[in-house]
Amino acid sequence: MDTQTTRSVPNAPHPAIRMDLDAPDIPHIAPESLPQHVAIVMDGNGRWANQQGLHRTQGHEAGERALMETVAGAVELGIPELSLYAFSTENWRRSPAEVRFLMGFSRQTIHDDSATLNAWGVRVRWVGRAQKLWRSVLGELRAAEQLTQHNQRMTLNLCVNYGGRAEIVDAMRAIASQVQSGRLNPSRISEATVARYLYAPHMHDVDLMIRTSGERRTSNFLMWESAYAELAFSDVMWPDFTRQDLWGLCTEYIHRHRRFGGAQDAPRV
């Protein structure tokens, strides 16, 4: 199926992925009720592959289609910001062969999908550490950022070589350097100060964090930004995750009551 887009979204071919802002099955959720920032731990590629008698690398290949499927669904629903956990600082512990595959595959995927994301009006932003990351991967990420920098329909944070603890440590190092040089008074350090030194200072707090594959943990993803995130765990393996799965979890989200530490006395009578 060729990519089909409507309502002023230019055509951009991506195999078997369709993005249609006027699709009749898109849930009608008021913009103010939608999660403004959805973060996803894309888990289950390896297990999905092994269950089907395939190599883990084939699971990662299948997961790339789920990534674009989910981005399309997020754009259709009107989600302003989406963060995807593509490669963690802990993933370097995997076998050298798998790491090499993931780096090469990430480089090729970013290269291949940038034009489609640009046509969909998606702004790409890389979030992570440059240390250890292949220069060729970083180059493709920077090129995608440059290509899509003026898009405003949705921001896609690609978290590559990212770790929540690493992000906080790096922010503390930068703040400590400012204090040591006399440019920052320790007594003036606040939550806003810390936020300014994170990898993406303009990132919004996460409203909804999703993890696929049935695991029930956040795995060091956006720890600062997701302090008050609603958590949703799906049993679906990432390669099988669809935009309908995303829509279902966002529909469930709007029925949650978020208090952010506050509460009201309402005894039953």
Side-chain angles (χ1 to χ4, degrees):
M1 182 188 303
D2 292 332
T3 299
Q4 299 178 31
T5 54
T6 60
R7 282 172 48 194
S8 78
V9 183
N11 290 325
H14 187 283
I17 300 294
R18 180 177 183 267
M19 200 276 285
D20 183 354
L21 295 172
D22 291 320
D25 58 335
I26 301 173
H28 295 289
I29 301 175
E32 63 272 17
S33 298
L34 274 173
Q36 299 301 291
H37 184 184
V38 176
I40 304 180
V41 181
M42 305 180 293
D43 190 31
N45 288 344
R47 279 171 288 153
W48 177 90
N50 290 163
Q51 287 174 5
Q52 302 190 49
L54 303 173
H55 295 294
R56 288 177 58 85
T57 54
Q58 292 171 285
H60 296 308
E61 291 171 347
E64 187 267 341
R65 185 189 184 284
L67 185 155
M68 292 299 289
E69 164 80 4
T70 300
V71 172
V75 173
E76 290 171 333
L77 196 58
I79 295 170
E81 189 167 7
L82 176 67
S83 293
L84 299 177
Y85 207 4
F87 188 92
S88 77
T89 49
E90 289 72 41
N91 286 155
W92 295 105
R93 301 172 185 170
R94 297 187 177 185
S95 71
E98 185 171 0
V99 169
R100 283 194 301 272
F101 171 84
L102 287 170
M103 285 292 102
F105 183 66
S106 296
R107 176 184 59 212
Q108 192 62 46
T109 296
I110 298 162
H111 177 82
D112 292 345
D113 291 340
S114 292
T116 299
L117 294 170
N118 187 47
W120 289 351
V122 175
R123 177 192 173 200
V124 176
R125 180 167 58 190
W126 166 61
V127 180
R129 263 183 177 174
Q131 181 184 358
K132 295 182 70 174
L133 187 61
W134 284 17
R135 283 183 293 178
S136 58
V137 176
L138 184 55
E140 292 293 347
L141 287 164
R142 293 303 192 198
E145 287 182 323
Q146 180 71 21
L147 175 67
T148 65
Q149 62 181 317
H150 299 300
N151 293 337
Q152 298 181 0
R153 181 165 278 115
M154 187 183 80
T155 296
L156 173 62
N157 300 309
L158 290 177
C159 300
V160 183
N161 197 28
Y162 174 87
R165 288 183 174 181
E167 179 178 35
I168 294 171
V169 166
D170 289 346
M172 294 305 101
R173 286 173 175 167
I175 291 172
S177 178
Q178 293 292 304
V179 170
Q180 186 178 40
S181 66
R183 292 191 292 269
L184 180 61
N185 185 334
S187 66
R188 302 297 297 273
I189 296 174
S190 65
E191 290 185 13
T193 307
V194 176
R196 285 199 302 271
Y197 287 90
L198 298 177
Y199 294 148
H202 300 297
M203 179 186 289
H204 294 92
D205 283 347
V206 176
D207 293 312
L208 175 63
M209 179 174 286
I210 298 168
R211 185 182 183 125
T212 60
S213 86
E215 300 291 350
R216 302 296 197 264
R217 56 182 178 273
T218 58
S219 292
N220 198 25
F221 189 38
L222 297 176
M223 295 173 64
W224 179 276
E225 298 86 348
S226 64
Y228 274 98
E230 295 292 316
L231 305 180
F233 300 104
S234 170
D235 290 332
V236 178
M237 296 290 184
W238 178 247
D240 291 328
F241 195 81
T242 67
R243 68 191 75 188
Q244 284 78 19
D245 292 310
L246 173 68
W247 295 344
L249 293 170
C250 289
T251 301
E252 183 214 336
Y253 164 88
I254 68 175
H255 298 294
R256 300 191 185 188
H257 181 53
R258 307 181 73 199
R259 295 184 296 273
F260 298 98
Q264 292 182 340
D265 191 20
R268 294 183 179 180
V269 295

